[in-house]
Amino acid sequence: MSSDAERAGAPPPLALTCGDPAGICAEIAVGAWSRLRGASPMFLIGDADHAAAHGPVHRIEAPGEATAELCAHALPVLHRPLAVPPLPGRPAPENAPMVVAAIEEAVALSRAGRAGGVVTCPINKKALYDGAGFAFPGHTEFLAALAGVARPVMMLAGPQLRVVPVTIHIALSAVPAALTPALLEETIRVTRAGLIEDFALPSPRIAVTGLNPHAGEGGAMGREEIEVIAPALERLRAEGFDLAGPLPADTMFHERARARYDAAVCMYHDQALIPIKALDFDRGVNVTLGLPFVRTSPDHGTAYDIAGQGLADPTSLVEAIRLAASMAAARMRARG
């Protein structure tokens, strides 16, 4: 059955996953709902009783019930009961199977067109390892496996900057060996496709950093720019890609420089994440590009140290929901 949103030509409501019940996830989910109040229809997949401790919720039986009208009064919840009552700051492996199942259900609903996209609340990987045999380094790899995607791309997006790291969670000493032409080209291809499809930028401009200080300074401080990065960029330019680089990273992120590109592709984790977090720590959103569904997430963890104290700031989740709604609408427009 079609939802009201689908009949009106809008994307279906977004699916929020419950994340780790021992952290701040339920608090920020209700907090995000309170700020948005139906502006971005959504529903939570999780324990309704746990969420209700933080504000008004309404149990629903199907995603299509999560209308803007309902969302104006309460957070819609597809009730999926926890195995044990959660204790703030104390992850319970017994609840891990439900946390994993919520992610799987959100993906299935999105792929079936019943949810407009997936917004994931933070998880504790060790609790999932211990309680559910979780076999993935994190959310992104699990979502990619569910979607059958070999190599998703992580983007951090904020109001002033979008960044994509080519290599992510590896030691800095391992970056030069991991930085292959194939990896760089594939990352740029997925980034460009995401900017077109998800951000409605028909001719995206991408700036690419060098690896070394001063982009290698003509080989005086490393040859990766000459031997790996520049040749890859030339091959992609020949296909019509609008690329600048390799550029010195230390001059790429001031205001005038940012006006010249739509996203920056960086060679390693901190090269990408330091500038966006310095510009706007609270409003950064983690986006996974290259999936057959929209996925965003707040750019923070479970925050066990403040769980249950009423101190959690839902701003990053609010921004993740807003961006997911925008991306879902862009995909719908692009596909007619």
Side-chain angles (χ1 to χ4, degrees):
M1 182 180 293
S2 298
S3 69
D4 292 342
E6 290 172 300
R7 288 192 292 271
L14 299 169
L16 277 64
T17 64
C18 61
D20 188 342
I24 61 170
C25 298
E27 183 179 346
I28 61 173
V30 176
W33 161 80
S34 181
R35 286 197 193 175
L36 293 168
R37 297 276 181 162
S40 297
M42 59 186 175
F43 59 93
L44 176 69
I45 303 175
D47 191 301
D49 296 328
H50 180 46
H54 301 282
V57 304
H58 182 90
R59 296 192 187 198
I60 60 174
E61 298 298 324
E65 298 174 41
T67 61
E69 181 180 6
L70 177 57
C71 289
H73 300 286
L75 173 64
V77 181
L78 279 177
H79 179 56
R80 303 295 181 257
L82 293 165
V84 298
L87 297 175
R90 298 175 61 184
E94 295 90 340
N95 287 328
M98 190 278 272
V99 173
V100 173
I103 300 169
E104 294 172 332
E105 184 172 8
V107 169
L109 290 171
S110 294
R111 299 198 74 180
R114 300 179 66 198
V118 178
V119 181
T120 57
C121 285
I123 58 174
N124 178 300
K125 294 185 285 291
K126 185 178 186 306
L128 300 188
Y129 300 151
D130 294 344
F134 193 68
F136 301 89
H139 257 133
T140 299
E141 294 82 1
F142 184 40
L143 293 166
L146 292 173
V149 173
R151 186 173 286 158
V153 167
M154 181 177 84
M155 169 185 281
L156 274 294
Q160 302 179 69
L161 179 65
R162 303 181 191 98
V163 292
V164 172
V166 178
T167 63
I168 306 176
H169 296 125
I170 62 174
L172 190 57
S173 60
V175 169
L179 187 61
T180 64
L183 176 61
L184 178 56
E185 288 188 34
E186 185 171 4
T187 301
I188 293 173
R189 289 184 189 280
V190 174
T191 299
R192 182 177 184 270
L195 291 170
I196 293 171
E197 182 176 44
D198 295 328
F199 292 86
L201 296 170
S203 302
R205 305 163 301 161
I206 299 173
V208 182
T209 70
L211 172 65
N212 299 292
H214 300 181
E217 206 164 88
M221 287 188 282
R223 296 191 58 81
E224 286 83 4
E225 289 77 12
I226 295 170
E227 296 175 358
V228 177
I229 303 173
L233 300 190
E234 285 305 314
R235 286 191 291 272
L236 293 173
R237 288 189 186 105
E239 298 179 24
F241 285 47
D242 186 347
L243 303 173
L247 301 172
D250 64 345
T251 58
M252 270 186 56
F253 299 108
H254 61 83
E255 186 175 3
R256 292 193 308 278
R258 296 196 309 272
R260 295 194 288 266
Y261 57 82
D262 301 303
V265 171
C266 305
M267 296 304 111
Y268 56 92
H269 181 278
D270 285 10
Q271 195 182 54
L273 272 63
I274 287 173
I276 192 168
K277 292 190 177 188
L279 283 166
D280 199 335
F281 185 84
D282 291 326
R283 292 194 290 172
V285 176
N286 190 327
V287 181
T288 306
L289 302 177
L291 297 175
F293 51 87
V294 168
R295 184 265 175 149
T296 66
S297 177
D299 186 30
H300 60 70
T302 55
Y304 289 144
D305 58 324
I306 61 170
Q309 300 177 42
L311 300 175
D313 183 353
T315 298
S316 187
L317 181 58
V318 169
E319 295 301 320
I321 292 166
R322 286 173 171 160
L323 181 55
S326 174
M327 292 169 63
R331 287 196 180 194
M332 177 169 280
R333 288 192 302 269
R335 295 170 183 176

